[in-house]
Amino acid sequence: MPNAMFKKFSREEVHSRSNIKSSVQRGLKAKLIEQFPGLESVIEEAMPKKSQMVQIKCSDKVTLYSINSEVLFFQSFDDPLVPTIKFVHKYPEAFPRVKVDRGAIKFVLSGANIMCPGLTSPGASLPESPGLDVGAVVSIYAENKEHALAVGVLTMSTEDIKSINKNCGVEVCHYLGDGLWNFSE
Amino acid sequence: MTVKVVYCGICSFPPEYCEFGGAFKRCKEWLEKKEPELFQKLYSVEALEKATSSLSIEKQEEIERKIQKDQKKNEARAERELANKLSSKIYVKRIERNKRKHVIAISGLELCGIDMKKLAKVFASKFATGASVTKTADGKDEIVIQGDVGDEVETYIVDMLEEKGLDDVKVEQVAEKPKKKKPQV
């Protein structure tokens, strides 16, 4: 998953959009539940059986999935599906979360990856052990804030982040105010 | 189960992130008007006291100063853009094709945030003619409608702008005659 892949993103990068088959949609749903078990109880509400999902293909092998012209998920090539922030805001319970301290917010909002100290300082928090593994998709929260400000992929397991506490811990792929956030059909 | 998140009408972030959105002052005014409850929660004296984070005071001040600087820059830019938008004009050009036949070319729409393709489609079905988006010589998009429908187009665009609150954008009709062939000697 490239870092801050939507930093520059606009309507021009959309190559094609097509309605997807309901069977494919079902498959996608199953994949989502497998990836985020917390979603199971709300998936019917988020993606009703009768809804028509639209697949939007963009440059660099990025694919967006939207319902009712609202992008819910995106995917780069065959990487795991990643929810958009708007979707995380709607169903915050469904996704694993990490929390950064206040000093990091500014940098995250300009698309920087999150360094370990920003995740281990007093204002921040990580899931309890056993924690999450490398490559897990996490929603990123901030100190004293209620809502998520970014989504990213772990480049270290959370236990490693705690013990090593150096270098990049989370790769941010989508954050408040980036191209995808401002994208509308 | 769904959580409803209020988004700021100015910077589109959840209000708690407005301070990082680049137009903090206007965001605050907006929030006070639209969501007084939330405003109280975020900006009352107690809340501000509570929000002082674990960072050292010096560092925090430095960050705050930087943010303020950015904001000033952003606000100036937003103002300039707005002025630009208001001073722009939309041209409805009537081009003679073949003595009594005309096409209408509409240019200058891109600043108003209108989806040209969709608008072309609307015109096509409204007037039951062909309408398309083409690139002009200087790389800008324009809508070309077949048939002499300049007046109808003008009223439609004026109405549309009014709905969007862009009354100040002017719409002007111009006629373009094909260059006369020089009489052969």
Side-chain angles (χ1 to χ4, degrees), chain B residues 119-185:
Chain B
L119 189 63
K121 190 83 196 160
V122 168
F123 282 137
S125 56
K126 191 170 154 70
F127 304 127
T129 59
S132 63
V133 181
T134 49
K135 277 219 156 65
T136 53
D138 48 353
K140 280 181 182 158
D141 282 343
E142 64 175 14
I143 297 177
V144 176
I145 309 167
Q146 294 175 16
D148 193 359
V149 286
D151 295 332
E152 290 95 324
V153 165
E154 193 186 349
T155 46
Y156 184 88
I157 290 179
V158 169
D159 286 351
M160 188 180 66
L161 289 177
E162 215 163 280
E163 223 166 80
K164 285 198 156 203
L166 293 164
D167 302 17
D168 293 341
V169 180
K170 301 234 165 35
V171 183
E172 194 179 322
Q173 277 205 55
V174 281
E176 188 181 273
K177 286 225 165 108
K179 278 167 199 151
K180 272 179 194 151
K181 277 180 197 158
K182 273 180 194 160
Q184 281 174 346
V185 185

Side-chain angles (χ1 to χ4, degrees), chain A residues 59-71:
Chain A
S59 39
D60 296 331
K61 295 247 159 92
V62 175
T63 315
L64 316 177
Y65 295 99
S66 79
I67 286 180
N68 291 338
S69 67
E70 197 172 313
V71 182

Side-chain angles (χ1 to χ4, degrees), chain A residues 11-25:
Chain A
R11 217 183 268 149
E12 274 120 62
E13 303 207 9
V14 173
H15 290 321
S16 75
R17 70 185 65 219
S18 51
N19 297 344
I20 63 175
K21 279 197 256 178
S22 63
S23 58
V24 180
Q25 192 169 334

Side-chain angles (χ1 to χ4, degrees), chain A residues 45 89-90 145-147 181, chain B residues 2-3 12 16-17 19:
Chain A
E45 196 189 325
H89 284 163
K90 263 193 200 155
K145 305 279 183 202
E146 192 186 340
H147 303 298
W181 172 262
Chain B
T2 345
V3 179
S12 82
E16 52 184 8
Y17 289 108
E19 48 185 318

